[in-house]
């Protein structure tokens, strides 16, 4: 007998708008969406709350196996669930081994078994050692391939130089895959000042805008030569939007993401000696932040993802807060959806746009099946946005290490009542998440 129930909301985000809706859910799948409320529904959403689809976060570092002391499948997916993220795609590094071969993917899948609170898929990596063999990993089920244009920060995941980047793009274009790129230029960063310092302004100067611009230009030129589909990761510098606009106008198959910490945090407010804010590329100034919001509004930036990249407190606070020594990464998978839902009204943005950027768009661009929105045929991955203020306490977040750039930030709302395939996830959800593979 089918397991079915109905959910009725006075306000729900679906079909690109906010309006009343009643959902019918059968065996975890949405089978009907009606544009009205049903008083006798099995689940009634409070009149002051808004029903949302679960977020699809396609940029998450879970680091297992090998660096599980940084994060792991159990802790990372519990944090995702608590923040309304019901699907994550796991990055191919900082695990050991990195996901650069079918055997490494098998090791990662074995490590994930029985630990997932949300649904999860895998990225592969493109490194010098596996060029010419990327299709094997594609056939094993990864969503695409990540590469770096400068050292990644871990020795076992090497960057691609310009020749290798062209080879990777040519190979991936041959089987219709996707390359996702961390685009910063090593030479530009090497030439910048990088003093041992706790001052955020010194760290910011060590990762100049020009490093992103030069690498983005290289990526676009190589796309033009090869026809490869490419996604630019974590755009930080709004100055790169001019290059993106030209590439998209040319018809190149380019998509772009940015992150909540670039859209909601600003360099002017970051205290010195606070490595929890360090990420690469860096959080830049308020003017840059506003230009990124404009880039989203214009469709130059396609999606918003967290780039959840945690580590241990010892790695974050190495050398007493010296920002040149600290690991670079913001732990944000539990907070990112909340931060964007909270910030959107101040930027004249409706919640339907946040859903487009953080649920519908990631699922569509990356080919995540049956995810990304409240729609017939999609999994009933749902969350409620409730106007209950909250102040983030890093120690109370679900990810493994209690370090977060969001600590102490107050938001006007809270994500509650998260459901995965119709099942309500509690504070300590059962590990009922599933592996997913591209459509």
């Amino acid at each position: 007998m089918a397991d079915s129930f109905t959910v009725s909301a006075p306000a729900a985000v679906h079909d690109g708008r906010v309006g009343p809706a009643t959902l019918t859910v059968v065996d975890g799948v949405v089978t009907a969406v009606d544009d009205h409320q049903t008083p006798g529904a099995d689940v009634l959403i409070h009149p002051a709350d808004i029903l949302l689809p679960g977020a699809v976060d396609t940029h998450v570092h879970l680091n297992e196996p090998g660096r599980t002391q940084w994060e792991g499948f159990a802790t990372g997916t519990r944090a995702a669930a608590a923040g309304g993220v019901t699907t994550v795609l796991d990055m191919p590094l900082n695990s050991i081994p990195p996901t650069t071969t079918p055997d490494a993917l098998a090791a990662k899948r074995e490590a994930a078994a029985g630990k997932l609170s949300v649904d999860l898929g895998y990225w592969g990596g493109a490194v010098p050692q596996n060029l010419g063999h990327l299709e094997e990993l594609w056939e094993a089920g990864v969503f695409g391939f990540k590469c770096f244009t400068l050292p990644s920060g871990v020795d076992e995941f090497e960057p691609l130089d310009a020749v290798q980047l062209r080879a990777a793009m040519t190979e991936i274009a041959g089987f219709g895959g996707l390359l996702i790129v961390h685009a910063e230029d090593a030479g530009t960063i090497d030439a910048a000042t990088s003093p041992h310092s706790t001052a955020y302004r010194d760290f910011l100067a060590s990762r100049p805008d020009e490093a992103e611009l030069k690498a983005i230009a290289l990526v676009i030129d190589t796309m033009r030569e090869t026809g490869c589909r490419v996604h630019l990761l974590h755009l930080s510098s709004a100055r790169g939007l001019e290059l993106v606009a030209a590439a998209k106008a040319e018809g190149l198959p380019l998509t772009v993401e940015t992150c909540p910490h670039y859209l909601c945090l600003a360099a002017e407010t970051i205290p010195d000696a606070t490595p929890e804010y360090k990420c690469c590329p860096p959080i830049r100034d308020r003017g840059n932040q506003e230009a990124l919001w404009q880039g989203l509004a214009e469709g130059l930036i396609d999606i918003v993802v967290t780039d959840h990249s945690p580590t241990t407190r010892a790695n974050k606070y190495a050398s007493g807060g010296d920002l040149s020594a600290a690991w670079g990464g913001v732990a944000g998978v539990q907070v990112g959806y909340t931060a964007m839902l909270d910030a959107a009204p101040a930027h004249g943005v409706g919640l339907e746009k946040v859903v487009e950027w953080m649920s519908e768009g990631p699922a569509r661009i990356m080919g995540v099946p049956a995810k990304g929105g409240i729609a017939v045929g999609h999994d009933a991955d749902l969350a409620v946005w409730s106007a209950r203020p909250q102040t983030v306490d890093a120690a109370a977040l679900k990810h493994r290490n209690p370090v977060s750039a969001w600590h102490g930030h107050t938001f006007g709302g809270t994500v509650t009542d998260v459901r995965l395939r119709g099942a309500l996830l509690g504070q300590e959800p059962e590990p009922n998440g599933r592996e997913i593979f591209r459509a």
Side-chain angles (χ1 to χ4, degrees), residues 260-320:
H261 45 272
Y262 300 133
L263 294 163
C264 303
L265 305 175
E268 294 92 333
T269 62
I270 295 177
D272 292 341
T274 52
E276 57 266 38
Y277 291 93
K278 178 184 175 180
C279 55
C280 301
I283 297 166
R284 303 188 189 276
D285 61 41
R286 282 196 185 93
N288 182 83
Q289 179 190 99
E290 290 303 319
L292 291 176
W293 279 97
Q294 186 62 33
L296 278 164
E298 294 175 1
L300 299 177
I301 301 172
D302 300 274
I303 62 173
V304 179
V305 294
T306 67
D307 188 11
H308 178 72
S309 186
T311 188
T312 62
R313 187 172 185 86
N315 280 349
K316 262 299 190 186
Y317 286 86
S319 302

Side-chain angles (χ1 to χ4, degrees), residues 82-404:
V85 176
T86 48
T87 304
V88 299
L89 298 190
D90 177 56
M91 283 290 163
L93 75 159
N94 309 305
S95 56
I96 302 174
T99 315
T100 55
T101 67
D103 286 346
L105 176 62
K108 179 154 281 201
R109 295 185 63 190
E110 182 178 357
K115 298 177 182 176
L116 304 177
S117 294
V118 302
D119 289 353
L120 175 136
Y122 306 96
W123 291 109
V127 294
Q129 294 82 356
N130 70 351
L131 297 183
H133 300 278
L134 296 175
E135 191 167 8
E136 299 168 21
L137 198 49
W138 179 252
E139 292 301 323
V142 298
F143 280 80
F145 303 89
K146 180 176 186 176
C147 75
F148 282 74
T149 59
L150 80 173
S152 69
V154 292
D155 292 341
E156 65 274 5
F157 200 96
E158 296 180 19
L160 303 181
D161 63 23
V163 173
Q164 293 162 340
L165 182 68
R166 183 178 299 106
M169 284 200 196
T170 300
E171 183 179 354
I172 293 167
F175 56 79
L178 171 66
L179 183 68
I180 63 176
V181 184
H182 180 129
E184 288 182 283
D185 179 65
T188 304
I189 289 173
D190 289 344
T193 57
S194 184
H196 291 285
S197 173
T198 61
Y200 188 79
R201 66 179 179 276
D202 290 336
F203 167 65
L204 188 57
S206 75
R207 313 290 293 211
D209 297 81
E210 287 74 14
E212 286 192 77
L213 302 183
K214 187 170 182 179
I216 291 169
L218 171 66
V219 168
I220 290 171
D221 287 345
T222 312
M223 287 181 69
R224 190 178 293 111
E225 295 175 22
T226 63
C228 185
R229 187 163 61 100
V230 172
H231 180 75
L232 285 179
L233 298 168
H234 46 51
L235 181 71
S236 156
S237 174
R239 289 174 55 191
L241 292 173
E242 185 175 347
L243 295 170
V244 169
K248 289 192 170 194
E250 188 180 336
L252 296 179
L254 177 69
T255 53
V256 182
E257 72 184 35
T258 192
C259 305
H261 45 272
Y262 300 133
L263 294 163
C264 303
L265 305 175
E268 294 92 333
T269 62
I270 295 177
D272 292 341
T274 52
E276 57 266 38
Y277 291 93
K278 178 184 175 180
C279 55
C280 301
I283 297 166
R284 303 188 189 276
D285 61 41
R286 282 196 185 93
N288 182 83
Q289 179 190 99
E290 290 303 319
L292 291 176
W293 279 97
Q294 186 62 33
L296 278 164
E298 294 175 1
L300 299 177
I301 301 172
D302 300 274
I303 62 173
V304 179
V305 294
T306 67
D307 188 11
H308 178 72
S309 186
T311 188
T312 62
R313 187 172 185 86
N315 280 349
K316 262 299 190 186
Y317 286 86
S319 302
D322 178 356
L323 295 179
S324 69
W327 174 261
V330 168
V333 71
Q334 186 171 336
V335 182
Y337 205 14
T338 293
M340 289 296 295
L341 292 165
D342 182 76
H347 292 273
V349 172
L351 298 190
E352 69 277 5
K353 297 301 293 184
V354 178
V355 165
E356 179 183 324
W357 298 332
M358 300 194 76
S359 183
E360 296 167 0
R364 181 183 65 255
I365 289 169
M366 308 310 178
V368 183
K371 303 293 186 181
I374 296 173
V376 172
H378 282 202
D379 290 345
D381 296 347
L382 307 169
V384 170
W385 177 242
S386 178
R388 296 184 227 164
Q390 64 162 313
T391 299
V392 178
D393 177 3
L397 296 174
K398 303 291 186 181
H399 64 262
R400 184 175 298 277
N401 292 285
V403 178
S404 175

